[in-house]
Amino acid sequence: MQSKIIVAIDGHSSCGKSTMAKWLAHQVGYIYVDTGAMYRTITLYALRSGFITSAGIDTEGLKASLGNIKVSFRLDPDTHLPLACLNNEVVESEIRGMEVSDNVSPIAALPFVREVMTAQQQQMGREKGIVMDGRDIGTAVFPDAELKIFVTASAEVRARRRYDELIGKGETGINLADIERNVVERDYIDSHREVNPLRQAPDALVLDNSHMTKDEQNRWLLSQFETCVAAHQQ
Ligand code: DC
């Protein structure tokens, strides 16, 4: 039997990491984990509980409540794609809205949040056969992952993709300039936080998909996967 590997896909926000990770997992029969969704779900909890206000984040309140937050995934019976759940409530569409997007980076920068999330992610990948996307998967969660991909694209292209996605979901009152500001701001916070910042692992393969079609990208990804699996067969 083919031995299973861990595929770590990191990179900037809105550059299509989740779409490619999901596609690859489906193609090769691996489990897919969107770690951004986990940080988004914690952020939703913090917003709902009043731990995020215009005055800032009540970190002590959030820290004391961590034990009450269960982040999990449930498979959509129709699409078979994972849906993020907060204490067993499906919150997949709520966590993709602007309110969560605007607040997630500072929450993801909190060391106690990262510690709990990283431990859960390592547990999910203990049997390998997993494609996980995020910011620190190849550097902190699975530094020994067999295949590491670092994805990027220009801020302009990424903002346009996020805008089209939100419009496609029927969101109103959004504008492209706000989205681009959010994309750039999140990159900054994600790359400059103290704990496990976004950075490219030295052994990651870089993919700039600014000018690639989804098909070209998928072909590239599958060929990297096949090469890597072949190299790891005893
Ligand atoms: O991929 P995304 O846009 O859904 O991620 C949401 C936020 O969570 C983003 O600001 C970066 C952060 N994140 C992180 O810090 N570490 C991860 N492994 C995944 C996401």
Side-chain angles (χ1 to χ4, degrees):
M1 203 179 92
Q2 240 186 20
S3 58
K4 290 187 171 178
I5 65 165
I6 291 181
V7 182
I9 303 189
D10 291 305
H12 292 110
S13 60
S14 305
C15 56
K17 292 186 302 295
S18 308
T19 310
M20 43 187 289
K22 232 178 264 173
W23 179 85
L24 180 65
H26 180 74
Q27 285 296 308
V28 303
Y30 276 23
I31 291 167
Y32 163 63
V33 178
D34 172 356
T35 61
M38 298 172 75
Y39 290 99
R40 285 172 180 271
T41 301
I42 301 260
T43 305
L44 179 63
Y45 178 90
L47 282 164
R48 283 184 179 176
S49 313
F51 294 136
I52 305 176
T53 62
S54 51
I57 302 171
D58 174 2
T59 48
E60 287 313 311
L62 180 59
K63 196 173 188 176
S65 297
L66 268 190
N68 304 329
I69 313 175
K70 185 179 156 227
V71 177
S72 57
F73 291 97
R74 184 182 302 167
L75 283 189
D76 184 311
D78 300 323
T79 63
H80 299 285
L81 288 171
L83 303 171
C85 298
L86 169 59
N87 294 334
N88 298 320
E89 171 196 349
V90 174
V91 291
E92 186 60 35
S93 73
E94 213 174 331
I95 61 167
R96 308 291 166 188
M98 277 306 272
E99 201 188 8
V100 170
S101 295
D102 279 343
N103 289 285
V104 62
S105 281
I107 294 292
L110 297 170
F112 60 88
V113 170
R114 300 206 73 79
E115 198 180 311
V116 173
M117 292 295 98
T118 301
Q120 277 192 22
Q121 291 152 10
Q122 287 170 336
Q123 182 67 15
M124 290 169 172
R126 71 191 184 285
E127 288 176 13
K128 301 201 177 192
I130 197 162
V131 182
M132 195 173 270
D133 82 72
R135 301 295 187 289
D136 60 344
I137 311 306
T139 52
V141 180
F142 295 118
D144 297 327
E146 289 82 358
L147 180 59
K148 298 181 186 177
I149 315 270
F150 189 87
V151 196
T152 189
S154 72
E156 202 187 336
V157 166
R158 291 186 284 135
R160 164 60 65 180
R161 288 178 186 158
R162 177 61 63 113
Y163 177 84
D164 291 345
E165 187 187 326
L166 291 172
I167 293 286
K169 283 183 183 158
E171 282 225 17
T172 51
I174 48 171
N175 85 57
L176 191 55
D178 284 347
I179 308 246
E180 188 165 340
R181 212 169 304 120
N182 176 263
V183 159
V184 172
E185 191 177 278
R186 280 205 287 151
D187 286 350
Y188 185 88
I189 302 177
D190 295 343
S191 324
H192 289 81
R193 64 170 174 241
E194 271 177 35
V195 185
N196 301 340
L198 166 67
R199 67 191 157 76
Q200 188 190 315
D203 51 347
L205 305 171
V206 179
L207 174 71
D208 182 336
N209 64 15
S210 302
H211 305 291
M212 279 173 105
T213 65
K214 267 192 193 145
D215 272 358
E216 286 168 341
Q217 181 174 279
N218 289 344
R219 271 199 302 276
W220 179 88
L221 185 59
L222 189 58
S223 110
Q224 298 302 337
F225 174 85
E226 284 166 350
T227 306
C228 184
V229 169
H232 284 87
Q233 301 304 322
Q234 296 88 351

